[in-house]
Amino acid sequence: MPLPLAATTAFGVEAVVRRELEALGYPAKITAPGRVAFEGDPQAIAQANLWLRAGERVVVELASFPATDFGQLFDGVAALDWAAWIPPDGEFPVRGRSRGSQLSSVPACQKIVKKAIVERLRQQHGVQELPETAGLYGVEVALVDDVATLTLDTTGVGLHKRGYRPVTSSAPLRETLAAAIVQLSYWRNGRPLLDPFCGAGTLAIEAAMIGRQIAPGLRRVFAAEDWPAVPADVWQAAREQAQQRMLPALDERILATDADDQVLVTARRSAERAGVLEDIHFQQRAFADTLSKREYGCLITNPPYGERLGEQREIEELYQAMPLVLRRLPTWSHYVLTSRLDFEQLVGQTADKRRKLYNGRLECTLFQYQGPKPPKGEGGGRKQGAEPASAAKTSVVEPAPKASVDAPQRAFGGLKPEAARQAEEFSNRLKKLARHLRKWPTKRGITCYRIYDRDIPEAPFAIDRYDDALHIAEYERPHDRTPAEHADWLDHMVRTAADALETPRELVFVKRRFRQRGETQYQRVAEQQAVRLVKEAGLTFRVNLSDYVDTGLFLDHRVTRGRFRDEAEGKRVLNLFAYTGAFSVYALAGGAERVTTVDLSPTYLDWARDNVRLNKLDASRCDFVEGDSQEFVESLPAEPLFDLAIVDPPTFSNTKRGADDWDVQQHAAPLLVEVAKRMPPGGVIYFSTNSRRFKLDEDQLSGLAIREISRQTVPEDFRNKRIHRCWRMVKE
């Protein structure tokens, strides 16, 4: 007569365990959350314990009966044939749980069950002493809705204890859950598999064992191996059969990477104990560097959750960056297990499937993003002559492969149909502008100028040429693309610009501009850096096209700088909020007697000094002051110290008081008054701002003749005539 058996599971993986049992030849049924019932003989006990990867325990279901009081519970337990399972010297600890039952005291129920078993065993074995010195027979009484179920645990230590992980390991992912996730994925032996947050290597090891058909319980012992009811030859036969089923090696090595080289040491040791070290390539590598040339693979990972205080922002930034990295694997499917319920909001993309799972007691979700199916007849395994995953170059970050509008749906990224039209319109516009701008910059000795300024609403870019390089800034604009799709679209548009303007891709530098916390922020899109020397009006300037919000040379002030130079001869010049000192260089080149350059940033002041040296100007006529511009002026005596001044405050804070304290609208007029006090009659102040909301309060500026010269100072290559506002003020 077959035995009533059950496999206990973590919530969410019952269907996986049912499939595992059916693959072993045992029809199974999910009877409750975390419980899958099946029937079998003693051989089934051995097979299930050896082969279940996602199950937690294998138990014998002895009986179920009503138990509304302790008398019913005692009588029901005492009526069972315990001697058929437990010998006189067997150890039988009793565990218990209760839900929705009148017998709610679990310790009391455990005592009653223990007492009933003792009396029954004494009677059946004809002994008074039960020493409990041989074999483990774990008993559980589960009271649910006043029904008691008695089970006998055949497993002992939980099935997640495979025997390969060090006792001291603190790996957060259970082996059984890792195996379940792999089985829920599209991965199979022969397809590439990558875990970029491998940690202790559990996912990779479990996958390797699945791929090689290694029984997860082959290297451990089970409680029922000491039971007379399950003969030793049953276990021996089951183990021999498992050895015969084992495959020699995976068709494709698994790639497991992590930024922490110390955890990789533990991972390698565990893989060696599991017998799969040669099937996994462990590599120290940051997630941002994730890359593979393999096709139709699976990325399965359990990234950090940020459970500890202070990690939230770091984890959120990591998750937000995920789609921009995963788009480099256009034909892959992705499986991410995390406890963050806001994962989809952070990555900006809804999963194709999601499954609630429990990692111990922690509620998690497996987010599944499915890539395209491999072509018919192609299993996604290794192609003839293709390099193995372990040999692929992984130290260099490469952009995502070119996305085609005709390509199949990708898990992350891809181009929408309208991208082709947008790129064509963008290209045509750039070519037309390039023809228009081909001659005049050369005639005027200008190598830096604006080519394109958000001319087409669907292409919100500002494109500037710096000698032979392009600087492209993308501005925020609403769209319906996911972050990964937008990154692919941006790559597509950047390639379009490079081709249309006949510029090598390596000389194109891209930034994203966006507003955050009231300030202009930027994100560098490419990793290349560029510090270059450029020409303007016969002068040389150092620009950085990659590392800052701006490049070091405001091109829209080219005309203003020229006017400033024309007025500088013999003058004492003040440059406030000097940035990289371009106005100071122009003033010195125009014959200024002395130039005082003030900025709060030591980096910008060093940059300004470099610009002076590059032009071989007399540095002895320069004063460089690191400090708050307003405080500097207020610290000077109210006497004629300067004849010519430029005041060009940034929209973000450039003072010690911070952005909230130095508001252009609030502080500009008082500062201009203080500057005028340090000038003789006829002294000239140029004031400029790119704040669109700014209104000059002329009532506060009595004693100054004011003329707005904004239209005259915006260069002709800037079609946005409101790029800045500029005034010329003369002290009366």
Side-chain angles (χ1 to χ4, degrees), residues 311-383:
E311 294 180 337
Q312 294 292 324
R313 184 171 179 180
E314 181 181 344
I315 295 301
E316 288 175 4
E317 289 176 352
L318 170 65
Y319 284 15
Q320 288 167 350
M322 277 188 177
L324 307 181
V325 174
L326 300 183
R327 72 188 181 102
R328 301 176 193 150
L329 307 172
T331 54
W332 287 48
S333 294
H334 306 266
Y335 304 83
V336 181
L337 180 74
T338 176
S339 65
R340 292 294 298 253
L341 299 180
D342 59 347
F343 178 78
E344 290 169 306
Q345 288 74 36
L346 290 172
V347 301
Q349 187 170 334
T350 303
D352 296 307
K353 291 183 180 179
R354 63 185 70 82
R355 193 183 194 101
K356 184 185 292 186
L357 299 171
Y358 281 82
N359 186 10
R361 294 184 178 181
L362 183 63
E363 180 182 336
C364 298
T365 304
L366 179 65
F367 295 96
Q368 305 171 54
Y369 295 88
Q370 297 170 354
K373 293 181 179 180
K376 215 167 190 178
E378 184 176 334
R382 184 179 300 170
K383 294 182 180 179

Side-chain angles (χ1 to χ4, degrees), residues 407-420:
Q409 179 64 39
R410 295 162 49 170
F412 289 95
L415 295 177
K416 291 182 177 292
E418 62 267 22

